[in-house]
Amino acid sequence: TALNVFVFIGRLSPEKGIDTLIEAQSIAHIELKVIGDGPLSARVNDAAAKSPALRALGRLPREQALRELSSARALVFPSVWQEGCPATILEAMALGKPAIASHVAGAAELLEHEVNGLLFTPGNAAELAACMKRLHDDSEFAARLGQAARAKYEKEYSPDAGYARIGVIYKRLGIEV
């Protein structure tokens, strides 16, 4: 079913953990859609040609990429370098989808392991595959993580949460809103 599909959205480049992603998918044999383009597009296309469970969708309009994510089990974020505040993880959270992310700065601040997502050691394809398999095999656990991700988004990252924080700052400065 569509909800057993995992999605990667991003630049297909070494620092984004594309090799880890391809290796994990080959270990787990779980359906994965890769959305994006970049210097490793050919590597992703080659892997997709060898695995019927791996689909390289290329670059998609944002709305279409978000539709793919909204019908997926989870976002996969295998970056091997530090990230600021990964927009794709926030988008997954807003959609009530858990993320499986490497434990790098940025992702680790947004996700709490086994609470609103899963974290794995950067570059460790076996750990990523195990995380994918876990969410694939336990839809209730994946749904709980997704609900917690959405709750955290609403509390900390939604437009309403941002507006409330700005109001607090203005009050501290003595500015009436």
Side-chain angles (χ1 to χ4, degrees), residues 11-166:
R11 182 161 165 73
L12 306 184
S13 57
E15 67 276 3
K16 295 296 186 176
I18 299 305
D19 288 333
T20 304
L21 180 68
I22 291 169
E23 185 180 348
Q25 191 280 330
S26 74
I27 294 168
H29 303 290
I30 290 171
E31 191 172 348
L32 173 68
K33 293 181 179 179
V34 177
I35 300 169
D37 62 13
L40 297 182
S41 291
R43 188 168 306 172
V44 172
N45 290 334
D46 288 346
K50 295 173 187 162
S51 170
L54 176 60
R55 294 190 46 213
L57 302 182
R59 177 178 235 144
L60 297 177
R62 182 175 186 274
E63 297 76 26
Q64 192 175 348
L66 292 177
R67 275 196 304 275
E68 292 288 348
L69 179 56
S70 71
S71 66
R73 174 67 49 100
L75 173 75
V76 182
F77 187 86
S79 187
V80 294
W81 75 341
Q82 312 306 309
E83 300 276 347
C85 183
T88 55
I89 293 177
L90 286 175
E91 289 169 334
M93 292 170 75
L95 292 169
K97 298 294 175 179
I100 301 169
S102 51
H103 197 285
V104 296
E109 282 71 40
L110 295 174
L111 300 175
E112 187 176 347
H113 184 64
E114 297 186 343
V115 174
N116 66 343
L118 296 177
L119 296 168
F120 68 95
T121 305
N124 190 322
E127 278 185 36
L128 173 54
C131 289
M132 291 171 71
K133 185 141 180 52
R134 185 170 179 197
L135 292 189
H136 178 272
D137 294 347
D138 191 344
S139 62
E140 289 179 15
F141 180 58
R144 280 196 310 275
L145 293 180
Q147 290 165 354
R150 175 66 188 182
K152 182 171 182 171
Y153 172 81
E154 284 295 328
K155 182 180 178 196
E156 298 180 29
Y157 302 104
S158 69
D160 288 344
Y163 183 74
R165 277 196 302 279
I166 289 171

Side-chain angles (χ1 to χ4, degrees), residues 161-175 177:
Y163 183 74
R165 277 196 302 279
I166 289 171
V168 169
I169 293 168
Y170 278 18
K171 257 188 189 164
R172 284 188 196 146
L173 295 173
I175 300 169
V177 189

